[in-house]
PDB file of all heavy atoms in Angstrom:
ATOM      1  N   GLU A 176     145.825  87.543 128.458  1.00  0.00           N
ATOM      2  CA  GLU A 176     146.551  86.754 129.465  1.00  0.00           C
ATOM      3  C   GLU A 176     147.626  85.864 128.859  1.00  0.00           C
ATOM      4  O   GLU A 176     148.445  85.288 129.581  1.00  0.00           O
ATOM      5  CB  GLU A 176     145.583  85.904 130.290  1.00  0.00           C
ATOM      6  CG  GLU A 176     144.709  86.701 131.246  1.00  0.00           C
ATOM      7  CD  GLU A 176     145.519  87.407 132.335  1.00  0.00           C
ATOM      8  OE1 GLU A 176     146.594  86.918 132.713  1.00  0.00           O
ATOM      9  OE2 GLU A 176     145.067  88.468 132.804  1.00  0.00           O
ATOM     10  N   ASN A 177     147.596  85.702 127.529  1.00  0.00           N
ATOM     11  CA  ASN A 177     148.579  84.829 126.875  1.00  0.00           C
ATOM     12  C   ASN A 177     148.523  83.376 127.353  1.00  0.00           C
ATOM     13  O   ASN A 177     149.567  82.734 127.502  1.00  0.00           O
ATOM     14  CB  ASN A 177     150.006  85.374 127.058  1.00  0.00           C
ATOM     15  CG  ASN A 177     150.316  86.502 126.098  1.00  0.00           C
ATOM     16  OD1 ASN A 177     151.120  86.349 125.182  1.00  0.00           O
ATOM     17  ND2 ASN A 177     149.659  87.635 126.276  1.00  0.00           N
ATOM     18  N   TRP A 178     147.301  82.923 127.665  1.00  0.00           N
ATOM     19  CA  TRP A 178     147.168  81.489 127.985  1.00  0.00           C
ATOM     20  C   TRP A 178     145.783  81.008 127.639  1.00  0.00           C
ATOM     21  O   TRP A 178     144.911  81.802 127.291  1.00  0.00           O
ATOM     22  CB  TRP A 178     147.530  81.198 129.446  1.00  0.00           C
ATOM     23  CG  TRP A 178     146.617  81.781 130.498  1.00  0.00           C
ATOM     24  CD1 TRP A 178     145.288  82.118 130.374  1.00  0.00           C
ATOM     25  CD2 TRP A 178     146.965  82.065 131.862  1.00  0.00           C
ATOM     26  NE1 TRP A 178     144.799  82.593 131.564  1.00  0.00           N
ATOM     27  CE2 TRP A 178     145.803  82.569 132.493  1.00  0.00           C
ATOM     28  CE3 TRP A 178     148.132  81.916 132.600  1.00  0.00           C
ATOM     29  CZ2 TRP A 178     145.796  82.944 133.837  1.00  0.00           C
ATOM     30  CZ3 TRP A 178     148.102  82.289 133.937  1.00  0.00           C
ATOM     31  CH2 TRP A 178     146.956  82.808 134.543  1.00  0.00           C
ATOM     32  N   ASP A 179     145.609  79.688 127.725  1.00  0.00           N
ATOM     33  CA  ASP A 179     144.308  79.102 127.457  1.00  0.00           C
ATOM     34  C   ASP A 179     143.575  79.023 128.796  1.00  0.00           C
ATOM     35  O   ASP A 179     143.909  78.209 129.662  1.00  0.00           O
ATOM     36  CB  ASP A 179     144.515  77.702 126.842  1.00  0.00           C
ATOM     37  CG  ASP A 179     143.204  77.060 126.420  1.00  0.00           C
ATOM     38  OD1 ASP A 179     142.213  77.182 127.187  1.00  0.00           O
ATOM     39  OD2 ASP A 179     143.171  76.440 125.357  1.00  0.00           O
ATOM     40  N   THR A 180     142.589  79.894 128.938  1.00  0.00           N
ATOM     41  CA  THR A 180     141.893  80.008 130.232  1.00  0.00           C
ATOM     42  C   THR A 180     141.191  78.703 130.614  1.00  0.00           C
ATOM     43  O   THR A 180     141.201  78.316 131.791  1.00  0.00           O
ATOM     44  CB  THR A 180     140.887  81.177 130.187  1.00  0.00           C
ATOM     45  OG1 THR A 180     141.585  82.342 129.743  1.00  0.00           O
ATOM     46  CG2 THR A 180     140.268  81.442 131.537  1.00  0.00           C
ATOM     47  N   SER A 181     140.618  78.015 129.642  1.00  0.00           N
ATOM     48  CA  SER A 181     139.917  76.755 129.959  1.00  0.00           C
ATOM     49  C   SER A 181     140.889  75.752 130.580  1.00  0.00           C
ATOM     50  O   SER A 181     140.584  75.115 131.593  1.00  0.00           O
ATOM     51  CB  SER A 181     139.331  76.109 128.700  1.00  0.00           C
ATOM     52  OG  SER A 181     138.454  76.982 128.077  1.00  0.00           O
ATOM     53  N   LYS A 182     142.061  75.633 129.956  1.00  0.00           N
ATOM     54  CA  LYS A 182     143.051  74.672 130.454  1.00  0.00           C
ATOM     55  C   LYS A 182     143.526  75.067 131.860  1.00  0.00           C
ATOM     56  O   LYS A 182     143.644  74.214 132.746  1.00  0.00           O
ATOM     57  CB  LYS A 182     144.265  74.603 129.513  1.00  0.00           C
ATOM     58  CG  LYS A 182     143.978  73.952 128.165  1.00  0.00           C
ATOM     59  CD  LYS A 182     145.249  73.910 127.335  1.00  0.00           C
ATOM     60  CE  LYS A 182     144.998  73.446 125.905  1.00  0.00           C
ATOM     61  NZ  LYS A 182     144.513  72.066 125.820  1.00  0.00           N
ATOM     62  N   GLU A 183     143.785  76.354 132.051  1.00  0.00           N
ATOM     63  CA  GLU A 183     144.243  76.819 133.365  1.00  0.00           C
ATOM     64  C   GLU A 183     143.179  76.557 134.432  1.00  0.00           C
ATOM     65  O   GLU A 183     143.488  76.121 135.548  1.00  0.00           O
ATOM     66  CB  GLU A 183     144.579  78.316 133.326  1.00  0.00           C
ATOM     67  CG  GLU A 183     145.965  78.628 132.826  1.00  0.00           C
ATOM     68  CD  GLU A 183     147.075  78.080 133.723  1.00  0.00           C
ATOM     69  OE1 GLU A 183     147.341  78.624 134.806  1.00  0.00           O
ATOM     70  OE2 GLU A 183     147.689  77.071 133.307  1.00  0.00           O
ATOM     71  N   ASN A 184     141.909  76.823 134.064  1.00  0.00           N
ATOM     72  CA  ASN A 184     140.812  76.599 135.027  1.00  0.00           C
ATOM     73  C   ASN A 184     140.714  75.135 135.427  1.00  0.00           C
ATOM     74  O   ASN A 184     140.480  74.809 136.598  1.00  0.00           O
ATOM     75  CB  ASN A 184     139.478  77.056 134.421  1.00  0.00           C
ATOM     76  CG  ASN A 184     139.391  78.567 134.331  1.00  0.00           C
ATOM     77  OD1 ASN A 184     140.267  79.287 134.830  1.00  0.00           O
ATOM     78  ND2 ASN A 184     138.346  79.067 133.701  1.00  0.00           N
ATOM     79  N   ILE A 185     140.902  74.255 134.431  1.00  0.00           N
ATOM     80  CA  ILE A 185     140.818  72.811 134.732  1.00  0.00           C
ATOM     81  C   ILE A 185     141.968  72.407 135.660  1.00  0.00           C
ATOM     82  O   ILE A 185     141.769  71.707 136.657  1.00  0.00           O
ATOM     83  CB  ILE A 185     140.820  71.974 133.427  1.00  0.00           C
ATOM     84  CG1 ILE A 185     139.537  72.241 132.641  1.00  0.00           C
ATOM     85  CG2 ILE A 185     140.969  70.482 133.733  1.00  0.00           C
ATOM     86  CD1 ILE A 185     139.523  71.673 131.229  1.00  0.00           C
ATOM     87  N   ARG A 186     143.202  72.877 135.322  1.00  0.00           N
ATOM     88  CA  ARG A 186     144.357  72.540 136.187  1.00  0.00           C
ATOM     89  C   ARG A 186     144.089  72.990 137.620  1.00  0.00           C
ATOM     90  O   ARG A 186     144.316  72.257 138.578  1.00  0.00           O
ATOM     91  CB  ARG A 186     145.628  73.220 135.666  1.00  0.00           C
ATOM     92  CG  ARG A 186     146.129  72.673 134.350  1.00  0.00           C
ATOM     93  CD  ARG A 186     147.407  73.371 133.890  1.00  0.00           C
ATOM     94  NE  ARG A 186     147.699  73.010 132.510  1.00  0.00           N
ATOM     95  CZ  ARG A 186     147.607  73.832 131.467  1.00  0.00           C
ATOM     96  NH1 ARG A 186     147.261  75.104 131.637  1.00  0.00           N
ATOM     97  NH2 ARG A 186     147.849  73.407 130.239  1.00  0.00           N
ATOM     98  N   GLN A 187     143.605  74.221 137.725  1.00  0.00           N
ATOM     99  CA  GLN A 187     143.383  74.801 139.057  1.00  0.00           C
ATOM    100  C   GLN A 187     142.318  74.019 139.830  1.00  0.00           C
ATOM    101  O   GLN A 187     142.516  73.648 140.988  1.00  0.00           O
ATOM    102  CB  GLN A 187     142.952  76.269 138.898  1.00  0.00           C
ATOM    103  CG  GLN A 187     142.749  76.973 140.219  1.00  0.00           C
ATOM    104  CD  GLN A 187     142.272  78.415 140.048  1.00  0.00           C
ATOM    105  OE1 GLN A 187     142.310  78.967 138.940  1.00  0.00           O
ATOM    106  NE2 GLN A 187     141.834  79.030 141.116  1.00  0.00           N
ATOM    107  N   ALA A 188     141.187  73.760 139.162  1.00  0.00           N
ATOM    108  CA  ALA A 188     140.066  73.114 139.844  1.00  0.00           C
ATOM    109  C   ALA A 188     140.417  71.682 140.236  1.00  0.00           C
ATOM    110  O   ALA A 188     140.181  71.262 141.377  1.00  0.00           O
ATOM    111  CB  ALA A 188     138.841  73.141 138.930  1.00  0.00           C
ATOM    112  N   VAL A 189     140.990  70.940 139.288  1.00  0.00           N
ATOM    113  CA  VAL A 189     141.303  69.532 139.572  1.00  0.00           C
ATOM    114  C   VAL A 189     142.328  69.438 140.697  1.00  0.00           C
ATOM    115  O   VAL A 189     142.208  68.597 141.595  1.00  0.00           O
ATOM    116  CB  VAL A 189     141.796  68.811 138.292  1.00  0.00           C
ATOM    117  CG1 VAL A 189     142.423  67.469 138.629  1.00  0.00           C
ATOM    118  CG2 VAL A 189     140.638  68.630 137.318  1.00  0.00           C
ATOM    119  N   SER A 190     143.322  70.327 140.669  1.00  0.00           N
ATOM    120  CA  SER A 190     144.335  70.250 141.725  1.00  0.00           C
ATOM    121  C   SER A 190     143.702  70.546 143.086  1.00  0.00           C
ATOM    122  O   SER A 190     144.017  69.884 144.076  1.00  0.00           O
ATOM    123  CB  SER A 190     145.504  71.197 141.419  1.00  0.00           C
ATOM    124  OG  SER A 190     145.390  72.393 142.116  1.00  0.00           O
ATOM    125  N   ALA A 191     142.791  71.517 143.126  1.00  0.00           N
ATOM    126  CA  ALA A 191     142.138  71.843 144.408  1.00  0.00           C
ATOM    127  C   ALA A 191     141.331  70.644 144.913  1.00  0.00           C
ATOM    128  O   ALA A 191     141.387  70.306 146.105  1.00  0.00           O
ATOM    129  CB  ALA A 191     141.240  73.064 144.233  1.00  0.00           C
ATOM    130  N   GLY A 192     140.616  69.982 144.010  1.00  0.00           N
ATOM    131  CA  GLY A 192     139.812  68.816 144.398  1.00  0.00           C
ATOM    132  C   GLY A 192     140.701  67.688 144.908  1.00  0.00           C
ATOM    133  O   GLY A 192     140.425  67.087 145.954  1.00  0.00           O
ATOM    134  N   CYS A 193     141.773  67.415 144.173  1.00  0.00           N
ATOM    135  CA  CYS A 193     142.677  66.312 144.562  1.00  0.00           C
ATOM    136  C   CYS A 193     143.325  66.594 145.915  1.00  0.00           C
ATOM    137  O   CYS A 193     143.475  65.694 146.748  1.00  0.00           O
ATOM    138  CB  CYS A 193     143.763  66.125 143.513  1.00  0.00           C
ATOM    139  SG  CYS A 193     143.161  65.394 141.994  1.00  0.00           S
TER     140      CYS A 193
END
Side-chain angles (χ1 to χ4, degrees):
E176 289 296 331
N177 281 249
W178 66 26
D179 185 319
T180 308
S181 302
K182 290 181 188 296
E183 276 296 285
N184 288 353
I185 293 170
R186 291 181 191 110
Q187 182 182 348
V189 167
S190 99
C193 288

